[in-house]
Every structure is written in C-alpha cells, then in structure tokens.
Amino acid sequence: MPKLFIGGEWTAAVDGRVRDIRCPADGSLVATVDEAGPKDAAAAVAAARDAFDRGPWPGTPAAERGRLLLRVAELLERDKARLARAESLDTGKRYVESQIDVDDVAACFRYFGQLAAVGAGDRVVATGGADTESRVVHEPVGVCVLITPWNYPLLQAAWKVAPALAAGNTVVLKPSEPTPHTAVGLMRLLTEAGLPAGTANLVLGAGPTAGGPLTADERVDMVSFTGGQATGRRVMAAAAPTVKKVALELGGKNPNIVFADADFDTAVDYALTAVFLHSGQVCSAGARLLVEDPLHDAFVDELVARARRIRLGGPFDERARAGPLISAAHREKVEAYVAAGLAEGAVLRCGGSRPADPELRAGWYYLPTVLDECAPGMTVVREESFGPVLTVERFHGEAEAVALANDTVYGLAGAVWTRDPGLAHRVASRLRAGTVWINDFHPYVPQAEWGGMKQSGVGRELGPAGLAEYQEAKHIWHNTAPSPLRWFE
Ligand code: TXE
C-alpha cells in the first residue's frame, strides 16, 4: 500500500522510488516504503497550502479542534499495541518502552486538545477611549513543516503535530527515513478522527531530497525540526531566504552532577538510566557524569559493576534492558567517539566494543561503555555520541561542578544529586539548560516546556509555549466612531 499521504490520498512517490526498512535488532526487512523526492515534497506543500488558504481547519472553532485531538488520543490508546510493535520494529527499541511512548503520545494529544479548548489567551486591551476597541487574537502561523528524528519517532511527531493542529495550522510531516511506520499510523488515526483532507500530509524520504525542499519552499511559513546540530544549522540556513519561523531541538551533552552527600544507591541507579536508556539515543541523555571527588572512586566502581550486568536484546526479548543502535553507520560513529576518547586519555572501565554474544551479531548492538578520568576538552565529552557511552569527570565543590556542567555549547537538560536543598536549588538555577532535574533524571510532562538553551536549539515544545510556537499574535484595533483627524489642515 502506498505510504505517502498528500491531500487526503495515499500515494506512491512520483518517480516510483522505494526504501527498505530494516529492524536494527537483527537487520531483518520490516517493509519496503515509498521514498519521496522533491516533486512529492512540493505536492505535499501545495496540498497543505491549499488546505490552509481554502480549507476549513484554520477557521474551525478552537474548541472543536481540541475535541478532534482528544478523539485522536482515544484512538492512540485503542491502537497502542499495534503502534508500539511498529515502533519497536523500526527502532529496535524494547516493546515495553514503545508502549510507554504511545501512552505519552496520547497524553500529549490530550493536553493540547484541552489547551486548544481553553483558548489561546486572546485579550481585550485598554485603549483609554470610549470609541475604540482593541483586542489581541492568536492565529495559526500557516503551513508548518515538521521534521522529526528516529529515536522517538511517534513521540517527536506528536510534540509537533498536536500543537500545530491545535493552533489551526496545516502540516507536512517528514519523519526520519529509517522509522516511518508510526507516522503512517498517525495519519490514519487523524483521518479516522475526522481531520479534513490536506490538513496533515506525510512525506517519507531522505533529508537532502525530501526534507531540504520542504524547508526551502516559499509557500511554507514555519519549520519545526528535531535532530542533530549540523542538520539543524542546515535547516535554519535553508529557511533564511524566505524568513520562515524556525523551531529547533538539537540534542544535548547533558551533565549529571552527583555531590558527595547524594543517596548513593539511588544516584548510581539513575546514573545508569540517565545514559543507557534506549542505548543512549536520547537527546536528554545524562552522558556526562560529574562526581564530587570524595565519592568518585566508590561511585564509579559500583556504576561499572552494574553497567556490566545490563542485558542487551531485541524488542521482544523480555529479559533485555537495552536494545541496539539505529544503524550500522550510527554504531560506527559511536565507536569512533570511544576511540577518540581513549586516544585523548580517557580510561575505559567497561564496554568499548560490540557484544560477543552470537545471538546479537546480526543487530547493531554496542556494549554500555564507561570512560573514566575524562577532561572537558575531549571530543567524546564535547560532542553528542548519541550512544551508550558515559564520560566521567571528577570535581571539587559547587563552583567547579557548575563550571564543568556549563562548559558545553549545548543546553538542553541536566541533573543535580544532593540531600542539601539549598545546594540543589543554587546549582539548578545556575545550570544553563532548558530542563533541570533535582534527585531525578528524564521525567517530563506535556504541561511543562521542553527545549534547549545555547546551541541546543530555538524555541520550546510542550506546555503553553509549545502551543504559542505555532501561533501568530494579531492586534485588531477598531475605531467604533471614526471621524476625520484633520492632522494636515
Ligand atoms: O540526524 P539528522 P541523524 C543527533 C545525534 C545523531 C545525529 C545524526 O547526535 O548522531 O543527530 O543523526 C532530516 N533538510 N540526533 O543523521 O540528520 C532527516 O531526514 C531537512 C539528536 O539521524 O538531524 C530526519 O528526518 N531535513 C536528535 C531529521 O532531519 C533533513 C535525535 C533528523 O536527521 C536534512 C536524532 C536536510 N538537509 C539525532 N537532512 C535529538 N535532538 O534528539 C536530514 N534531515
């Protein structure tokens, strides 16, 4: 069945190209899908433009738009098992994690459904005169191109699609090329919920040939992108000539700071999930562990002992706790980062290779890796490996912890572990990051904004600001008793 969705029709790529999707856990063929090129991208933009300029969605009352999103949340819950399975086959992610993702996706649609119904903060402005009325209303931005990555395919799509539709925009979604299936599923559910044709369009295809034309197209009003920093820069540059609105989430190199008074067992436990969850393929992964000097040796010894016990396996292996990397090429990139770390003086404490287990040979697995005695200048400390690789640095006291934590071009997330609430809050307020956890790691809720400072991105997703990204404020001034001004007489 054709897999591009343009103007309410399922269609194949104009030039007939297709792509094989393979499961990262064993390299098996999941499906062959249509592969869009520039002509398909242009057709999707035309459909979204037409639906915005002439279709019903932008003018649909916000409360009604909200109701449709609430219906989508119900459909997501109905189809949870099917969607989670598709997500796991595309990503290699554990099935249980994919199920949690679908729950989070439903919660995201529900949140923006409710927020749309509450209204967009339109307000009457005092003019000081009896014969004038002034109000500020919020309107959709227009045609939004939404480009998403492969680590949380459905979740990242939901963070963009739900607020964009809540605000009355029309969209073209371009998921990452290796993980298209849950985006296809989402289009089906949006249609089933009653979204008008052309309001949401789906383009599957490669970044340069499908994504590039979408970001440059002058009929597009906004691009929201989540992915790597280098591609984010390209997206921003491609959007510049037509001065599109741009929202970017470009990952992080997130510090996890452990002070000597932290609860030892809990902090070790969370340090593991901070970095090894989903094999480190998480934009907020706690990939830089900073441990206060007196605690360092005992903490790293225990962490390494537990990291060695992490069982790798495919999505449906119930004993597995972490899965493969997304592709052979990505694993090679992770291996290069570990090699660079060792060449620059890091000490390998565990991992650092592919697993020996013959059962895992066909997949793109890499062992949980801990590099100790790291220093701020090392490549593996500075750049996002996006794999199961933890770098450990040692610090002495609060000032050095904050300085090391902030010594990065990124600013997405970070955590601080201590029993001292004053210390926790001082450090939290000084971290230059969009999210800070105190004695925790990873939790988020759709009600709270998500996004990065510095080169981690531009703008915010989720929360009220996540809706505002997809709105334009308009001031309407009404002179109710116009009479000549006679300024020039
Ligand atoms: O991402 P890309 P890749 C980081 C992580 C990873 C690195 C590269 O460090 O190792 O990025 O991963 C589309 N115009 N993150 O290569 O290229 C592409 O098709 C328009 C962090 O997979 O950023 C896909 O849909 N679009 C991240 C999306 O951009 C283009 C999550 C992301 O791909 C394009 C994933 C172009 N010229 C990777 N080129 C996070 N922030 O969580 C590519 N794309």
Side-chain angles (χ1 to χ4, degrees):
M1 177 187 164
K3 293 282 195 298
L4 312 185
F5 190 59
I6 299 176
E9 303 286 335
W10 291 99
T11 167
V14 171
D15 62 7
R17 288 183 60 195
V18 293
R19 171 187 294 269
D20 286 346
I21 305 300
R22 297 198 171 270
C23 180
D26 56 11
S28 60
L29 185 67
V30 176
T32 300
V33 299
D34 301 282
E35 171 88 348
K39 286 182 196 146
D40 306 291
V45 171
R49 186 75 259 167
D50 189 59
F52 188 82
D53 294 339
R54 279 172 282 279
W57 189 248
T60 300
E64 210 174 298
R65 293 200 298 258
R67 271 198 297 279
L68 188 138
L69 296 190
L70 297 178
R71 173 85 182 117
V72 173
E74 283 169 16
L75 297 176
L76 285 159
E77 279 160 355
R78 182 195 70 189
D79 290 356
K80 176 171 158 178
R82 193 173 55 75
L83 289 164
R85 193 181 148 73
E87 195 80 305
S88 282
L89 289 173
D90 279 3
T91 60
K93 179 187 295 205
R94 291 167 67 212
Y95 181 56
V96 59
E97 289 178 34
S98 296
Q99 288 175 303
I100 294 170
D101 288 355
V102 180
D103 287 339
D104 285 358
V105 168
C108 175
F109 271 90
R110 197 158 278 132
Y111 171 70
F112 283 111
Q114 285 158 355
L115 198 62
V118 166
D122 294 354
R123 64 191 197 277
V124 173
V125 179
T127 62
D131 296 337
T132 47
E133 282 173 2
S134 162
R135 63 203 162 93
V136 174
V137 298
H138 293 82
E139 298 186 351
V141 174
V143 174
C144 300
V145 161
L146 314 175
I147 300 179
T148 51
W150 42 259
N151 54 341
Y152 288 87
L154 185 58
L155 191 69
Q156 299 291 353
W159 287 18
K160 299 182 192 306
V161 170
L165 294 181
N169 298 279
T170 61
V171 306
V172 179
L173 172 64
K174 200 213 75 67
S176 187
E177 40 276 55
T179 56
H181 283 105
T182 48
V184 173
L186 180 61
M187 289 297 135
R188 292 207 179 105
L189 297 187
L190 291 169
T191 306
E192 185 180 343
L195 193 71
T199 307
N201 304 275
L202 177 68
V203 168
L204 307 179
T209 45
L214 290 174
T215 52
D217 197 308
E218 67 174 359
R219 296 165 296 176
V220 171
D221 300 291
M222 172 173 174
V223 179
S224 176
F225 168 86
T226 299
Q229 217 179 49
T231 308
R233 288 194 188 96
R234 244 172 260 135
V235 165
M236 212 172 188
T242 47
V243 196
K244 292 178 175 61
K245 246 191 118 177
V246 175
L248 303 171
E249 203 268 63
L250 307 180
K253 194 70 193 180
N254 313 289
N256 185 19
I257 308 168
V258 182
F259 282 93
D261 71 338
D263 175 335
F264 184 88
D265 184 46
T266 311
V268 172
D269 184 71
Y270 274 73
L272 289 170
T273 44
V275 65
F276 296 132
L277 184 80
H278 195 17
S279 293
Q281 302 170 116
V282 182
C283 51
S284 53
R288 285 191 297 140
L289 177 66
L290 310 178
V291 191
E292 197 166 20
D293 186 48
L295 189 66
H296 172 276
D297 293 357
F299 196 90
V300 177
D301 285 350
E302 180 60 22
L303 182 87
V304 166
R306 295 191 200 180
R308 285 203 176 105
R309 294 198 293 266
I310 295 174
R311 199 187 157 89
L312 301 181
F316 306 104
D317 176 351
E318 287 181 0
R319 296 161 306 166
R321 290 294 173 268
L325 298 176
I326 188 69
S327 65
H330 185 52
R331 180 168 64 179
E332 281 168 22
K333 185 176 146 182
V334 172
E335 287 173 328
Y337 274 117
V338 172
L342 296 177
E344 291 171 19
V347 174
L348 180 67
R349 292 293 309 270
C350 67
S353 64
R354 303 175 185 187
D357 185 346
E359 276 186 30
L360 302 179
R361 201 160 292 154
W364 301 309
Y365 292 92
Y366 193 75
L367 288 175
T369 298
V370 177
L371 297 175
D372 199 4
E373 307 297 347
C374 290
M378 291 178 179
T379 311
V380 69
V381 173
R382 305 205 75 75
E383 297 180 16
E384 193 184 44
S385 77
F386 224 58
V389 180
L390 180 67
T391 64
V392 188
E393 293 166 81
R394 176 193 300 263
F395 70 86
H396 306 81
E398 181 180 339
E400 193 184 7
V402 170
L404 282 174
N406 284 334
D407 185 7
T408 167
V409 298
Y410 287 104
L412 185 63
V416 52
W417 291 83
T418 171
R419 288 190 166 98
D420 176 348
L423 173 62
H425 281 282
R426 281 197 308 278
V427 173
S429 69
R430 291 174 65 195
L431 287 184
R432 297 288 296 155
T435 296
V436 177
W437 295 289
I438 297 173
N439 296 333
D440 212 324
F441 211 102
H442 280 320
Y444 80 95
V445 286
Q447 293 81 358
E449 276 76 4
W450 179 269
M453 297 185 185
K454 303 199 280 187
Q455 294 182 37
S456 278
V458 177
R460 289 293 179 271
E461 302 197 278
L462 303 181
L467 181 64
E469 287 286 344
Y470 294 95
Q471 293 171 326
E472 295 277 17
K474 178 187 278 180
H475 179 202
I476 299 176
W477 174 279
H478 183 184
N479 185 342
T480 55
S483 61
L485 200 56
R486 305 207 194 285
W487 179 277
F488 295 108
E489 288 177 13

